[in-house]
DNA sequence: TGGACGATCCCCT
DNA sequence: GGGGATCGTCCAT
């Protein structure tokens, strides 16, 4: 069952942990790519680490759309990362999907990653890796997650005691906040280290 | 108009 | 554990 619009119209701090255990789905040409979300980060209004911190621009425009859209950004001259926009129109808040556990379409994911030899655990254990594996790029920016192309299924959320949190990864500011959430016993989370 | 800087990844030692 | 790849974006000059 596809998560409804109302799921996304909440604070990113509520949506982020609630996304764990949900299933990211992308309809490819004739098959489905599916992955269980195991690691996310919240980016809030007024958050200096957020792309939206310095106001609305052409690049981050989608982040200010109504919750339930996909904000895809390009970084380091070669990578894409995907976020779930949260809250009402104009909020400028989102949840970065950092890692998913591959469930379906794994052969295609391997081909998309240009590596036939990668173990499943290394296909989507990073925000740019999962975008490459799922074929998410510039054209997917602004996709409505309540539409037919990319969506998130209810899945099977973990018990609360299986959810861990830490500071976020790869940022220089806002490191005092523990806004990274992940499934404690998952083998499919990022190898990178939190910022503090 | 230019330059510093990424919400990263991969390969090297 | 460290550095290079690679380029769009933003802000300061």
């Amino acid at each position: 069952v596809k998560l409804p619009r109302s799921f996304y119209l909440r604070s990113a701090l509520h949506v982020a942990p609630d996304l764990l255990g949900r299933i990211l789905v992308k309809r490819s040409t004739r098959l489905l790519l599916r992955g269980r979300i195991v690691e996310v980060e919240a980016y809030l209004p007024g958050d200096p680490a957020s792309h939206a911190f310095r106001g609305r621009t052409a690049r981050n425009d989608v982040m200010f759309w109504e919750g339930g859209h996909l904000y895809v950004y390009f970084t380091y001259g070669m990578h894409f990362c995907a976020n779930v926009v949260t809250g009402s129109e104009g909020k400028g808040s989102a949840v970065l999907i950092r890692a998913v556990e591959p469930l379906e379409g794994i052969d295609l994911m391997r081909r998309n990653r240009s590596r036939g030899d990668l173990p499943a655990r290394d296909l989507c254990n990073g925000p740019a890796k999962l975008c490459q594996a799922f074929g998410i790029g510039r054209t997917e920016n602004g996709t409505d997650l309540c539409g037919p192309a990319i969506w998130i299924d209810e899945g099977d959320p973990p018990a609360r005691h299986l959810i861990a949190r830490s500071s976020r990864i790869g940022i220089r500011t806002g490191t005092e906040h523990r806004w990274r959430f992940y499934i404690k016993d998952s083998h499919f989370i990022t190898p990178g280290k939190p910022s503090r």
Side-chain angles (χ1 to χ4, degrees):
Chain A
V1 180
K2 199 177 290 190
L3 293 176
R5 177 77 61 196
S6 58
F7 178 92
Y8 303 103
L9 300 181
R10 299 178 289 155
S11 155
L13 262 190
H14 291 280
V15 174
D18 205 0
L19 278 172
L20 297 176
R22 314 293 191 173
I23 313 299
L24 176 67
V25 189
K26 180 177 183 235
R27 187 176 294 287
S28 187
T29 316
R30 71 185 327 111
L31 47 112
L32 291 183
L33 294 175
R34 298 199 312 126
R36 176 173 177 253
I37 299 174
V38 297
E39 180 183 347
V40 296
E41 283 175 359
Y43 288 84
L44 306 190
D47 172 4
S50 169
H51 289 173
F53 183 60
R54 295 172 194 286
R56 194 165 178 165
T57 67
R59 182 207 196 193
N60 65 22
D61 191 66
V62 171
M63 220 176 145
F64 289 84
W65 292 9
E66 180 180 58
H69 288 87
L70 196 69
Y71 166 51
V72 181
Y73 67 87
F74 181 68
T75 191
Y76 289 104
M78 62 185 91
H79 297 303
F80 292 97
C81 296
N83 298 255
V84 172
V85 177
T86 62
S88 52
E89 150 83 35
K91 264 283 186 292
S93 188
V95 176
L96 172 69
I97 305 179
R98 288 196 55 87
V100 308
E101 171 181 347
L103 295 178
E104 184 180 335
I106 294 179
D107 292 341
L108 179 54
M109 292 182 193
R110 261 194 261 269
R111 267 178 277 138
N112 285 342
R113 294 268 285 129
S114 316
R115 302 274 298 272
D117 55 335
L118 274 185
R121 65 186 299 163
D122 291 331
L123 283 175
C124 302
N125 60 342
K129 296 182 194 176
L130 76 90
C131 279
Q132 191 178 31
F134 274 71
I136 293 175
R138 207 176 299 284
T139 53
E140 281 69 34
N141 188 32
T143 299
D144 186 358
L145 296 175
C146 299
I150 305 176
W151 67 93
I152 300 176
D153 273 335
E154 275 181 4
D156 187 21
R160 194 131 59 256
H161 74 276
L162 292 179
I163 296 179
R165 59 191 294 176
S166 77
S167 59
R168 294 169 291 181
I169 293 177
I171 54 169
R172 302 281 311 187
T173 58
T175 57
E176 68 273 27
H177 300 114
R178 294 161 59 226
W179 290 344
R180 167 177 176 255
F181 301 87
Y182 59 98
I183 297 180
K184 214 175 276 182
D185 58 5
S186 175
H187 296 150
F188 296 86
I189 63 171
T190 298
K193 281 181 29 193
S195 303
R196 57 188 270 139

